[in-house]
Amino acid sequence: MAVSLKGRHFLKLEDFTKEELIQILDTADFIKMRHKIGIREEMLKGKTLAMIFEKSSTRTRVSFEVGMAQLGGEALHLSSRDIQIGRGETIADTSRVLSRYVDGIMIRTYGQEIVEEMAKYSDVPVINALTDEFHPCQIMADFQTMREKFHKLEGLKIAYIGDAANVANSLLIGSSIMGIDISLACPKGYQPTDEILATANKFAKKSGAKIVITDNIEEAVKGSDALYTDIWVSMGKEEEMKKRFEDLKDYQINSKVLGMAKENAIVMHCLPAHRGEEITDEVLEGAQSVVFDEAENRLHAQKAIMALIMG
């Protein structure tokens, strides 16, 4: 039986049960199906979302703004240059003021503690649109894409290759909640933290998901239904570029690596992609790539999140 998610913050996947995440995915599928036949579900008519960007964006900016419009509401784009938070106003004060004006706050920023503090002082739902630690909205779009391709999630295996940063953290925890086996192939120094692993293992114990952390790509990829990667140098890590390129140069999804997975395996990437680095152009543009399906599903998954917590 569906439960109401109204008024909830969407900060990280571990805050939700498997059943609640499935409810979001079912809503995303419904909204997408209606969208494809030209029906707009104006679930947020007359409501406003404040969108705070301390990090630049393509997919997040467009998908949230278009999503609000398609749900009948409005979105306000607020860069750190546009509001006083960029000139020293506290997160708490910004949150308390904004939540008296709008019906929801979306923030794309650096530290997870920033979105946590925003939520603590907000009277309206706060959505984490990316931090250095987590990217929960992306993973909901990924899960929607996987369900479209395999018609299930539980029992699948996904292999992540590269740097275990925010996307990998959310993918690891989300997979553990949903009962998806997950292997991460990352060089030493780029593997998940003990804290992230402890959280994932807690959920895996309940769901039965198997977790493997290794520096061996073949070990991680063997028997996988999906391969996933992300850029080697995330925003804020530019000063480490030379070292990261050297450490991660062998952790690439290419045709050889794809051949280690199941014959019908799909290839995933959160974008933007640096072709020829973490993924080859051949694989990204190949028949097994669902990268642009994922990007499209950011719109529908986020519409579901907004509709359920703001509606």
Side-chain angles (χ1 to χ4, degrees), residues 105-125:
I105 301 169
M106 181 230 82
I107 180 167
R108 180 178 173 95
T109 187
Y110 292 91
Q112 180 69 19
E113 69 278 2
I114 296 173
V115 299
E116 300 283 349
E117 187 172 4
M118 182 73 69
K120 179 180 178 181
Y121 290 97
S122 176
D123 294 325
V124 299

Side-chain angles (χ1 to χ4, degrees), residues 210-225:
K210 297 181 180 67
I211 298 173
V212 173
I213 309 297
T214 179
D215 59 2
N216 185 295
I217 292 176
E218 188 170 3
E219 179 187 356
V221 170
K222 185 178 179 181
S224 59
D225 300 284

Side-chain angles (χ1 to χ4, degrees), residues 212-264:
V212 173
I213 309 297
T214 179
D215 59 2
N216 185 295
I217 292 176
E218 188 170 3
E219 179 187 356
V221 170
K222 185 178 179 181
S224 59
D225 300 284
L227 303 185
Y228 203 121
T229 192
D230 192 2
I231 57 175
W232 292 340
V233 184
S234 300
M235 285 179 283
K237 302 286 185 181
E238 290 82 4
E239 73 282 357
E240 303 173 15
M241 183 179 292
K242 185 176 180 181
K243 183 179 188 305
R244 284 175 165 269
F245 270 55
E246 180 62 28
D247 294 343
L248 291 159
K249 66 179 186 296
D250 296 325
Y251 289 81
Q252 179 191 73
I253 296 183
N254 49 43
S255 56
K256 179 182 177 181
V257 171
L258 182 55
M260 299 173 185
K262 287 183 179 177
E263 188 176 351
N264 66 335

Side-chain angles (χ1 to χ4, degrees), residues 110-309:
Y110 292 91
Q112 180 69 19
E113 69 278 2
I114 296 173
V115 299
E116 300 283 349
E117 187 172 4
M118 182 73 69
K120 179 180 178 181
Y121 290 97
S122 176
D123 294 325
V124 299
V126 174
I127 298 171
N128 175 8
L130 178 140
T131 63
D132 290 341
E133 290 80 14
F134 299 111
H135 198 353
C137 292
Q138 175 65 52
I139 304 310
M140 295 308 292
D142 297 335
F143 286 166
Q144 183 179 12
T145 306
M146 291 172 70
R147 290 211 314 181
E148 289 173 347
K149 302 304 176 184
F150 298 109
H151 309 293
K152 65 174 185 176
L153 289 177
E154 193 166 355
L156 295 175
K157 178 184 174 182
I158 186 164
Y160 179 93
I161 299 168
D163 176 24
N166 46 15
V167 169
N169 289 338
S170 288
L171 187 66
L172 176 57
I173 292 172
S175 296
S176 301
I177 295 169
M178 302 304 290
I180 303 168
D181 294 342
I182 181 165
S183 299
L184 279 75
C186 316
K188 297 292 194 294
Y190 296 85
Q191 296 180 351
T193 65
D194 291 342
E195 183 181 3
I196 294 292
L197 270 176
T199 301
N201 280 317
K202 177 184 72 174
F203 289 109
K205 188 174 181 181
K206 181 178 180 181
S207 71
K210 297 181 180 67
I211 298 173
V212 173
I213 309 297
T214 179
D215 59 2
N216 185 295
I217 292 176
E218 188 170 3
E219 179 187 356
V221 170
K222 185 178 179 181
S224 59
D225 300 284
L227 303 185
Y228 203 121
T229 192
D230 192 2
I231 57 175
W232 292 340
V233 184
S234 300
M235 285 179 283
K237 302 286 185 181
E238 290 82 4
E239 73 282 357
E240 303 173 15
M241 183 179 292
K242 185 176 180 181
K243 183 179 188 305
R244 284 175 165 269
F245 270 55
E246 180 62 28
D247 294 343
L248 291 159
K249 66 179 186 296
D250 296 325
Y251 289 81
Q252 179 191 73
I253 296 183
N254 49 43
S255 56
K256 179 182 177 181
V257 171
L258 182 55
M260 299 173 185
K262 287 183 179 177
E263 188 176 351
N264 66 335
I266 60 174
V267 176
M268 309 181 78
H269 194 306
C270 54
L271 297 179
H274 291 177
R275 298 164 185 247
E277 294 176 15
E278 75 278 359
I279 191 168
T280 62
D281 193 74
E282 177 188 17
V283 171
L284 184 64
E285 296 290 353
Q288 290 168 264
S289 172
V290 297
V291 168
F292 297 102
D293 295 330
E294 291 174 81
E296 177 187 352
N297 283 338
R298 286 287 301 278
L299 173 66
H300 306 297
Q302 289 162 187
K303 283 165 70 175
I305 292 164
M306 292 189 292
L308 289 170
I309 69 175

